[in-house]
Amino acid sequence: MKFKALFSFCLAAGAFTAFAQTHVEGVEYFKADQFDNARELLERNMNKTGTDKAVTNFYLGQIALMDGDISKASKYFEDGVSANPDYGFNYVGQGQILLKNGQTKEAEKLFKLAESKSKKDPSMQIQIARAYYDSDPVAYAKEIDKRVEKARRINISAPEIFIFEGDMLADKKDWGSAGSKYEMAASYNPQGSDAYVKYANLFTQVNPQYAIKMLKDLLSQNPSSALGQRELANAYYNNKDYANAALEYGKYVKNPNHFKQDEDRYAFLLFYGQNYKDGYDYASQLLAANPENFTARRYQFMNAAQIPEMKEQMLPMAEALYAAHKKNPANKFAPIDFTLIAEEFLIAKRPQEAVTVLEEAMKENPDNSAFNKQLAMTYVDENNFVKAAEAYKGYLAKVGEPGYNDLVQQALFSYFAGVSSKENDQALAQSSFADAEKYADQAFNMLAEGNKIYKPIKIKGDVAKQRAQESEVESAAVPFYTQAIELLEASADPKKYTSDAKEMYNYMGNYYLEKKDVATAKKYFNKYLEFDPNNEAYRKFVEGLK
């Protein structure tokens, strides 16, 4: 698996024709206090068959008032009156504007006109109460109470009354009392989504299970509610139940009244939940419908990266995704995008392009140490150990408290940087060797007595050979290798370190052979053969020593 971080669509071929697309869904979102979503749906469905334009204009006017755009609100209310003069709520909206301008008596005339269009309707009385409340809840307290009482006289069980009272209590942060009011509203109107959603929103952070229960109750009464489907999915998401969140989003995105941004969350959830095939298929369908859908392209690539059968298709997808990212600055990457794209360029033997991707990643994510580490490894693939050592130093700096393996890795990169610079830049070579010794010492010293590991000492021996004059090379590493061999042989499983063991035994054998100490030389050579028993040429060489 290539999944590195993290940080999150089985779309049916046919739309759910059972879901009507009219003003009703926008009103549902408005009543649940999701005003941006309400506006999108109301505008989207304005000219659909079955949409009541008088109702649509009223709610768009209310949203404009909330935005402080009086001119636009006034136009919506006027259009609503023109669409249906007998729909009284647009007169309430016009009166609301007058209240904001201090024209109380003129507003009251419009409220009376509105009442005449909706006699014996408690929702009209509550809407007039809201007009007063939104204008000045203190100055118009008596008018608000009067309208609420009038609504009760019309229908004491009207859910709008309890919703409004719950809203006023919520404004005072009296969450418990507000919840009780919303619960009562739901009991009087079991299919009314606003009461359930408002109630659930009070508890979604503190008691997500209770919020989930309320939303399930809503959907049992009103199964086609896009709002209910979406809120239940979000409740699961807030509860970190990503499997059920993905399941509910899968139902919700089939509803024609879903929002495009929720497709992104569904794609994320499928990826995060490791449903890679479903995630790839869903993202591919979104991309087929809109080739400019950058998010769909991201999730198509990320999911494909986890599917072994997609291996041959990964490079073109990586190229297309990176091109889309570079084409438009608004097309932002998350860290995983940079990581996976760089990997594909490396697999394709295009390390310089991988370097470009990772350098951008580091610029965009300056605190992310993983990019320094990946960049270092990329430079290794280019045999550029000087830059690898430099990049890895950046990694150590960001890690803060590097571990033993981190320090050993830095010591090795610095060592090879010195070796590769030795012919052309002696100053750089010596500086690199000094770094290798420093990091090797740090690694060795952080280990407790009795748990020391040979590797840092071997690295110091390697450095000593590189620093030595030509005539001293065969003896420079002896004290270090002697100590390193003792530590290696004391380890639980020396055979894990075959390559290093053979190198050190061979070096030590040759050193003692040069010193005419054949017995000691043969001891080290025979140790070598314990790690390479099938090396007949080496065995014959040792046996021939006198």
Side-chain angles (χ1 to χ4, degrees):
M1 289 293 182
K2 294 184 180 178
F3 185 37
K4 296 290 184 72
L6 342 119
F7 300 204
S8 112
F9 298 117
C10 259
L11 185 61
F16 271 34
T17 56
F19 295 125
Q21 298 181 66
T22 67
H23 64 280
V24 173
E25 290 75 23
V27 173
E28 185 182 35
Y29 273 91
F30 180 93
K31 290 183 176 181
D33 297 337
Q34 297 190 23
F35 304 117
D36 288 339
N37 291 337
R39 173 169 37 220
E40 180 178 333
L41 286 176
L42 290 166
E43 290 176 345
R44 185 196 300 179
N45 298 323
M46 172 72 87
N47 296 312
K48 297 281 181 67
T49 301
T51 290
D52 189 324
K53 291 190 176 182
V55 175
T56 299
N57 278 294
F58 168 70
Y59 285 102
L60 286 172
Q62 288 294 321
I63 295 168
L65 279 181
M66 292 174 191
D67 291 342
D69 193 335
I70 302 298
S71 176
K72 183 182 283 188
S74 180
K75 179 66 167 60
Y76 279 127
F77 296 139
E78 287 175 12
D79 289 348
V81 170
S82 297
N84 181 5
D86 291 327
Y87 180 72
F89 286 83
N90 282 300
Y91 301 120
V92 178
Q94 291 176 327
Q96 202 168 340
I97 292 174
L98 293 175
L99 282 181
K100 290 181 180 295
N101 292 331
Q103 298 172 271
T104 306
K105 292 192 177 298
E106 291 82 353
E108 289 173 352
K109 290 178 183 178
L110 284 170
F111 294 156
K112 287 181 180 179
L113 176 59
E115 285 182 274
S116 72
K117 305 293 184 180
S118 301
K119 295 177 180 179
K120 302 296 182 181
D121 182 358
S123 63
M124 173 59 74
Q125 298 302 322
I126 294 301
Q127 190 58 53
I128 295 172
R130 284 188 182 276
Y132 282 118
Y133 183 80
D134 292 342
S135 296
D136 191 330
V138 176
Y140 294 115
K142 288 184 179 180
E143 289 297 332
I144 294 167
D145 290 343
K146 173 183 171 184
R147 294 294 174 172
V148 171
E149 287 306 313
K150 196 168 183 179
R152 279 201 179 90
R153 287 197 298 272
I154 296 170
N155 181 2
I156 196 172
S157 302
E160 295 87 354
I161 299 170
F162 301 103
I163 293 286
F164 179 49
E165 290 177 332
D167 290 348
M168 291 190 291
L169 289 164
D171 287 344
K172 295 176 182 177
K173 296 182 170 44
D174 186 350
W175 313 121
S177 298
S180 297
K181 294 291 184 179
Y182 296 145
E183 194 170 22
M184 290 180 71
S187 69
Y188 287 123
N189 181 17
Q191 291 192 328
S193 59
D194 51 341
Y196 293 95
V197 171
K198 283 173 180 280
Y199 190 89
N201 284 342
L202 293 177
F203 291 93
T204 190
Q205 298 298 333
V206 296
N207 190 347
Q209 287 297 336
Y210 201 77
I212 288 167
K213 178 187 178 301
M214 284 295 292
L215 293 164
K216 282 184 173 180
D217 289 346
L218 164 61
L219 290 172
S220 71
Q221 299 289 335
N222 187 358
S224 65
S225 169
L227 172 62
Q229 293 167 345
R230 182 175 190 265
E231 291 305 301
L232 179 58
N234 283 330
Y236 278 123
Y237 183 84
N238 290 334
N239 196 35
K240 296 182 171 55
D241 184 348
Y242 299 123
N244 275 316
L247 182 66
E248 293 303 324
Y249 266 109
K251 300 173 186 176
Y252 162 67
V253 295
K254 297 171 187 175
N255 192 314
N257 287 302
H258 75 269
F259 298 100
K260 290 296 182 183
Q261 65 266 28
D262 294 317
E263 295 174 353
D264 297 348
R265 177 167 282 188
Y266 183 40
F268 161 76
L269 285 168
L270 287 173
F271 178 69
Y272 192 91
Q274 300 182 28
N275 295 321
Y276 303 126
K277 182 62 168 62
D278 289 347
Y280 172 79
D281 290 343
Y282 184 73
S284 296
Q285 290 184 46
L286 294 178
L287 198 57
N290 176 16
E292 298 302 313
N293 188 331
F294 180 68
T295 300
R297 190 173 293 282
R298 286 184 61 225
Y299 280 108
Q300 182 195 54
F301 175 68
M302 283 192 285
N303 280 292
Q306 319 310 318
I307 303 171
E309 296 78 13
M310 301 293 299
K311 181 179 178 181
E312 299 303 319
Q313 301 176 50
M314 288 306 300
L315 181 59
M317 280 193 280
E319 292 171 329
L321 180 59
Y322 194 61
H325 165 69
K326 298 303 289 183
K327 179 181 177 181
N328 184 352
N331 289 340
K332 297 293 186 182
F333 273 166
I336 191 172
D337 298 292
F338 290 111
T339 296
L340 293 176
I341 290 171
E343 283 185 3
E344 291 308 316
F345 285 142
L346 275 178
I347 291 169
K349 308 298 182 186
R350 290 154 60 177
Q352 192 51 55
E353 289 171 87
V355 167
T356 300
V357 171
L358 292 169
E359 285 177 343
E360 181 187 350
M362 290 168 60
K363 183 177 179 182
E364 293 294 320
N365 304 271
D367 297 326
N368 191 323
S369 62
F371 290 127
N372 292 79
K373 192 172 188 177
Q374 190 179 9
L375 182 60
M377 300 305 177
T378 303
Y379 281 129
V380 169
D381 280 2
E382 286 193 296
N383 290 315
N384 190 335
F385 286 99
V386 172
K387 286 194 172 181
E390 181 183 346
Y392 210 82
K393 278 185 182 178
Y395 166 72
L396 293 185
K398 291 175 184 178
V399 167
E401 294 185 9
Y404 168 82
N405 289 331
D406 294 327
L407 293 169
V408 167
Q409 186 68 78
Q410 183 66 66
L412 287 170
F413 283 154
S414 297
Y415 167 72
F416 287 114
V419 173
S420 63
S421 305
K422 197 173 175 182
E423 285 189 18
N424 300 319
D425 191 336
Q426 268 294 322
L428 176 59
Q430 293 307 315
S431 172
S432 298
F433 290 141
D435 280 345
E437 292 171 323
K438 178 181 77 173
Y439 289 111
D441 281 335
Q442 288 179 15
F444 189 74
N445 291 335
M446 78 183 302
L447 299 174
E449 290 298 331
N451 291 312
K452 298 291 189 182
I453 300 175
Y454 81 94
K455 189 70 174 183
I457 304 302
K458 180 189 180 294
I459 293 171
K460 292 187 71 175
D462 296 341
V463 171
K465 287 192 293 184
Q466 293 293 330
R467 285 186 182 278
Q469 299 296 324
E470 188 171 340
S471 61
E472 300 172 343
V473 170
E474 291 304 322
S475 62
V478 168
F480 300 104
Y481 282 3
T482 300
Q483 182 183 1
I485 285 171
E486 289 176 1
L487 291 168
L488 185 147
E489 291 178 348
S491 65
D493 185 9
K495 293 294 175 68
K496 283 171 56 179
Y497 315 111
T498 294
S499 179
D500 282 347
K502 286 164 60 177
E503 180 185 347
M504 291 190 292
Y505 287 134
N506 188 64
Y507 177 91
M508 295 296 290
N510 280 306
Y511 166 73
Y512 281 105
L513 193 61
E514 184 73 20
K515 300 284 286 183
K516 311 295 186 187
D517 185 347
V518 176
T520 305
K522 289 184 75 171
K523 180 187 77 171
Y524 282 110
F525 290 146
N526 283 320
K527 284 286 186 181
Y528 179 104
L529 285 168
E530 289 180 17
F531 286 81
D532 191 5
N534 296 321
N535 192 332
E536 291 303 322
Y538 199 93
R539 188 178 300 280
K540 287 180 181 179
F541 157 72
V542 176
E543 290 172 351
L545 293 176
K546 303 289 186 184

